[in-house]
Amino acid sequence: MTSNTSASPVCGDSKKDMKYLLVSGGVISGVGKGVITSSIGTLLKSVGLKVTAIKIDPYLNIDAGTFSPYEHGEVFVLDDGGEVDLDLGNYERFLDVTLHRDNNITTGKIYQHVIQKERKGDYLGKTVQVVPHVTDAIQEWVQRVARIPVGKNDETPDICVIELGGTIGDIEGMPFVEAFRQFQFRVGHQNFTNIHVSLVPQPSSTGEQKTKPTQNSVRQLRGLGLSPDVIVCRSKNPVSDSVKEKVSNFCHVPPDQVLGVQDCSSIYRVPLLLEQQGILQFLVKRLAISPPSPQPKITLHQWKNLADRYDSHSKEVRIVLVGKYTKLEDAYTSVIKALKHASLLCRHRLVLACVEADDLEGDSLQKNPPKYFEAWKLLSEAQGLIVPGGFGTRGTEGMVVAAKFARERKLPFLGVCLGMQIAVIEFARNVLGLKDANSTEFDPSTTNPVVIEMPEHNPGQMGATMRLGKRKTLFKTNDSLLKKLYQFGSTSDYKFVEERHRHRYEINPNMITEIEKKGMIFVGHSTDNKRMEIMELKDHPYYVGVQYHPEYLTRPITPSAPYLGLILASSGKLSRFLTRGCQLSPHTSYDYNPDDELDDEVTQAFSRFGNLGLKESEADSVFIEKTD
Ligand code: GLN
């Protein structure tokens, strides 16, 4: 690859320039720009650079908090309570970093900032305009946020990858494109690079890969003053050399800076695919960096092992997700990732069926019998059930019957946030005999409110008013499955875990004694002891509820503990795991292969430091090295 370079500041030098890598998209959205951006970040991290990420969403909303899951998929929640685009979840999982709410920029946030400044009189006497005021605000925001530490050592990042949402040419994106046109001069050529992700379709009529859409989008980008250094062609099949040459000729980019990313068996292959095409060497030269370790280290080896392991499973674990936004898989992105990560560790291929909760309700038998029977068939064939988070009444009665089915049939069950509330409602109705037990969210006049609103979280507006972000959960007893799963492999005794929350309702503290008498135990509480955080049912292989969302902190190598429990139980490995003193023994359930270095690493990492969510300082420093 070619590049124009000059002096190479050594990484770790506090006076060094921040490097910026902008990823723009062409043709259509939804081609995997987020995964490509995260993968490039992973490669940069693999040579020892400290990488941070910014996602730009050019919509007018301040944040993703008020979106319906059908609009943009899941709302991802950060430690600081920021409700952000789900792509930030990709960055956190790929790069193993903790991002902040300001790492998600929206047009709404920028305008709010500019208008507040105008009201304060900061622009006194001037007409406030998109150029220069909005474009300046964007550039200042990026420069400020890029320097905020996101790793566990509180160090300033070396490089910031920025994903510009949408596609080039969208009206909403224009101020951002203009801001970055100016930005390349503000920070200097060797500190800024643009990678353009485009689509190369292959219409079945001719079977040929077509470059015209890419040519048009690059022309548009150039017309707006940004010249891509690298073009990544997304395609169904590998992009041929002649197609790359054509893109190179028409788009004014050297042939070896045109890369192909075809559809892969798993996202773990994407960093490897990009690395094979030399992107890392190009970026190191183009941005004039001296990375601490010039060769990609163990991280890439781990990704290869993850990808190989993903492709090589033969055993399946069938999980049913009963939810209310099942028509859009993106609505449950992190839940599905957490299930996949746990299955990967247990060496099973996840077979996930999403069932729309209201198809399980009695009404559905009248309205749409085939759907009703199909839904129940899937549930009856499941090895495990998950009821994830959600809002509003629709579908909740279907979730209640599913929870009853799992409780009575001893089917492994995990209830997350709404799912835990549902499990408690079902238990109150059918075990305590409180027939109208409900959440006041669904039935404000119930005489048995087992789930009630948290009054301090209802100030009369919807945005950012929930109990949000990272909070501690204290274990109340050692006799807890989740406690064992969280401290899996560790010798320390964990008193608490920290997980992310997003809810307005809670289990009614006045009904706890009655519920616990019948065997549903709240083994984890909030630090003030008022809020029920973890529920476990006695005399059931795995019937667990959590008020928080553990899926937001899952990682491929260190899956979330409650999800790991569900998959272990569903694949018949939980009791062996428990009788072995909570070890995934390399010689038994872990199917240890001495030639497989990843297995070795994972086993060692787990056996020394336990599972995710533990905030022991030693564990932190190792996991930043060992996980992606
Ligand atoms: N609707 C419930 C609440 O607000 C559950 C929320 C959720 O599942 N995230 O408490």
Side-chain angles (χ1 to χ4, degrees):
M1 284 197 172
T2 53
S3 74
N4 18 6
T5 59
S6 56
S8 301
V10 176
C11 191
D13 170 1
S14 60
K15 290 197 201 81
K16 72 188 185 303
D17 291 339
M18 172 65 65
K19 307 290 174 179
Y20 300 90
L21 189 155
L22 174 72
V23 180
S24 54
V27 188
I28 55 169
S29 59
V31 293
K33 190 154 38 92
V35 170
I36 289 171
T37 311
S38 314
S39 301
I40 295 170
T42 302
L43 291 174
L44 293 162
K45 196 184 156 191
S46 77
V47 288
L49 295 166
K50 294 181 283 299
V51 184
T52 184
I54 292 178
K55 170 77 198 290
I56 295 175
D57 287 305
Y59 45 67
L60 276 162
N61 305 60
I62 300 290
D63 62 31
T66 54
F67 280 152
S68 144
Y70 285 132
E71 276 290 312
H72 288 265
E74 152 192 286
V75 175
F76 192 77
V77 178
L78 300 170
D79 269 9
D80 66 7
E83 296 172 284
V84 295
D85 186 87
L86 55 83
D87 274 318
L88 275 86
N90 263 333
Y91 299 139
E92 286 202 339
R93 287 186 290 268
F94 268 73
L95 304 173
D96 196 26
V97 292
T98 301
L99 299 174
H100 312 279
R101 66 178 75 231
D102 283 356
N103 289 69
N104 194 188
I105 304 180
T106 66
T107 300
K109 278 186 191 170
I110 296 288
Y111 272 78
Q112 189 183 49
H113 173 79
V114 170
I115 290 167
Q116 271 166 5
K117 276 180 79 174
E118 188 275 335
R119 291 291 83 187
K120 274 201 300 175
D122 287 2
Y123 305 113
L124 220 48
K126 298 229 172 66
T127 308
V128 182
Q129 292 175 301
V130 173
V131 183
H133 302 105
V134 168
T135 47
D136 278 353
I138 294 168
Q139 295 176 69
E140 284 154 18
W141 192 299
V142 168
Q143 282 187 299
R144 174 177 62 82
V145 171
R147 295 201 164 267
I148 300 176
V150 292
K152 286 162 187 139
N153 300 333
D154 252 14
E155 289 171 330
T156 308
D158 302 309
I159 181 156
C160 178
V161 293
I162 305 156
E163 178 189 350
L164 177 57
T167 46
I168 292 302
D170 297 346
I171 283 189
E172 292 88 348
M174 288 300 185
F176 292 99
V177 177
E178 170 58 19
F180 285 107
R181 188 196 63 74
Q182 297 172 17
F183 195 70
Q184 60 192 328
F185 303 111
R186 179 191 279 235
V187 298
H189 180 74
Q190 69 178 31
N191 297 325
F192 178 86
T193 182
N194 173 209
I195 295 183
H196 189 64
V197 180
S198 185
L199 179 74
V200 173
Q202 194 169 6
S204 51
S205 49
T206 59
E208 273 174 45
Q209 294 184 319
K210 295 291 185 191
T211 64
K212 192 72 81 195
T214 300
Q215 294 176 36
N216 288 339
S217 80
V218 173
R219 187 174 309 126
Q220 215 167 356
L221 184 61
R222 286 182 175 285
L224 296 169
L226 279 172
S227 251
D229 294 302
V230 174
I231 298 175
V232 178
C233 301
R234 276 286 294 116
S235 58
K236 192 167 182 316
N237 300 308
V239 179
S240 66
D241 286 345
S242 61
V243 167
K244 283 187 183 176
E245 255 165 54
K246 200 164 170 190
V247 171
S248 158
N249 274 337
F250 283 93
C251 299
H252 193 65
V253 167
D256 54 356
Q257 286 162 226
V258 180
L259 314 182
V261 173
Q262 67 272 22
D263 292 354
C264 305
S265 57
S266 76
I267 55 171
Y268 309 124
R269 295 239 169 258
V270 180
L272 306 167
L273 206 56
L274 290 168
E275 203 269 332
Q276 282 155 14
Q277 296 175 77
I279 193 167
L280 201 45
Q281 289 88 331
F282 169 73
L283 289 174
V284 163
K285 276 191 191 165
R286 168 67 180 76
L287 292 171
I289 348 176
S290 305
S293 46
Q295 290 301 317
K297 305 190 295 187
I298 190 150
T299 326
L300 279 193
H301 176 74
Q302 288 178 336
W303 282 89
K304 185 175 179 314
N305 275 293
L306 277 172
D308 290 347
R309 184 192 287 215
Y310 186 90
D311 292 344
S312 66
H313 298 315
S314 52
K315 287 182 250 165
E316 292 182 344
V317 58
R318 286 189 311 280
I319 302 294
V320 162
L321 178 156
V322 173
K324 52 188 297 184
Y325 319 111
T326 57
K327 287 183 189 81
L328 183 71
E329 229 189 57
D330 271 1
Y332 296 113
T333 299
S334 296
V335 169
I336 296 174
K337 297 280 181 214
L339 291 169
K340 281 190 176 160
H341 296 165
S343 307
L344 204 58
L345 190 70
C346 296
R347 291 191 168 279
H348 277 65
R349 177 182 290 283
L350 174 70
V351 180
L352 181 68
C354 294
V355 168
E356 192 65 25
D358 42 18
D359 290 346
L360 292 166
E361 292 172 6
D363 274 7
S364 161
L365 177 60
Q366 314 299 327
K367 287 190 214 141
N368 197 337
K371 271 198 163 171
Y372 176 84
F373 288 115
E374 174 61 17
W376 277 102
K377 182 170 177 288
L378 285 169
L379 192 56
S380 61
E381 288 168 356
Q383 291 169 273
L385 167 67
I386 179 162
V387 178
F391 294 84
T393 313
R394 185 180 65 78
T396 51
E397 290 304 318
M399 295 175 195
V400 169
V401 287
K404 180 168 188 278
F405 180 88
R407 182 176 57 76
E408 291 179 341
R409 303 287 175 104
K410 306 249 186 261
L411 180 69
F413 168 89
L414 175 63
V416 173
C417 204
L418 173 66
M420 160 155 140
Q421 298 172 357
I422 291 287
V424 175
I425 293 168
E426 189 280 317
F427 194 77
R429 284 185 193 174
N430 298 315
V431 179
L432 275 64
L434 308 172
K435 289 297 164 212
D436 78 333
N438 216 332
S439 163
T440 53
E441 182 180 6
F442 319 134
D443 178 6
S445 58
T446 173
T447 56
N448 286 296
V450 277
V451 179
I452 53 168
E453 197 168 5
M454 296 177 286
E456 71 273 33
H457 291 282
N458 184 6
Q461 63 183 55
M462 294 306 270
T465 55
M466 283 185 264
R467 182 170 178 247
L468 283 164
K470 188 168 85 171
R471 317 260 167 159
K472 270 186 191 163
T473 293
L474 305 179
F475 289 111
K476 304 305 290 179
T477 164
N478 286 331
D479 184 20
S480 155
L481 252 173
L482 271 206
K483 184 169 192 254
K484 290 174 187 143
L485 282 158
Y486 272 107
Q487 59 185 38
F488 161 32
S490 165
T491 49
S492 323
D493 181 27
Y494 293 104
K495 305 278 184 229
F496 64 88
V497 284
E498 290 181 295
E499 296 271 16
R500 296 176 180 175
H501 293 67
R502 183 173 188 248
H503 65 124
R504 238 181 227 112
Y505 293 79
E506 62 170 331
I507 309 300
N508 187 344
N510 296 329
M511 301 187 78
I512 301 304
T513 316
E514 222 181 319
I515 296 171
E516 289 199 327
K517 268 190 211 151
K518 296 282 185 187
M520 180 173 266
I521 314 294
F522 295 93
V523 297
H525 295 183
S526 58
T527 43
D528 60 5
N529 247 335
K530 284 191 191 148
R531 307 225 137 99
M532 300 305 111
E533 294 280 6
I534 305 175
M535 170 281 281
E536 291 177 11
L537 187 64
K538 283 194 166 158
D539 302 323
H540 192 289
Y542 193 80
Y543 196 89
V544 168
V546 285
Q547 188 58 78
Y548 47 80
H549 290 267
E551 62 272 14
Y552 291 138
L553 288 177
T554 188
R555 298 285 187 272
I557 293 181
T558 50
S560 159
Y563 285 84
L564 180 61
L566 177 70
I567 299 296
L568 282 169
S570 306
S571 57
K573 291 180 172 181
L574 185 63
S575 50
R576 195 163 34 164
F577 170 83
L578 294 172
T579 51
R580 292 189 61 85
C582 299
Q583 295 292 329
L584 270 181
S585 162
H587 304 291
T588 54
S589 52
Y590 206 56
D591 298 339
Y592 179 66
N593 170 3
D595 295 323
D596 186 338
E597 284 181 56
L598 175 73
D599 280 357
D600 212 13
E601 273 158 29
V602 174
T603 309
Q604 280 172 18
F606 270 108
S607 63
R608 287 176 61 204
F609 301 109
N611 209 332
L612 187 76
L614 312 173
K615 302 298 162 190
E616 302 286 295
S617 56
E618 201 183 9
D620 287 346
S621 60
V622 166
F623 275 115
I624 195 170
E625 280 284 309
K626 294 256 177 205
T627 65
D628 283 294

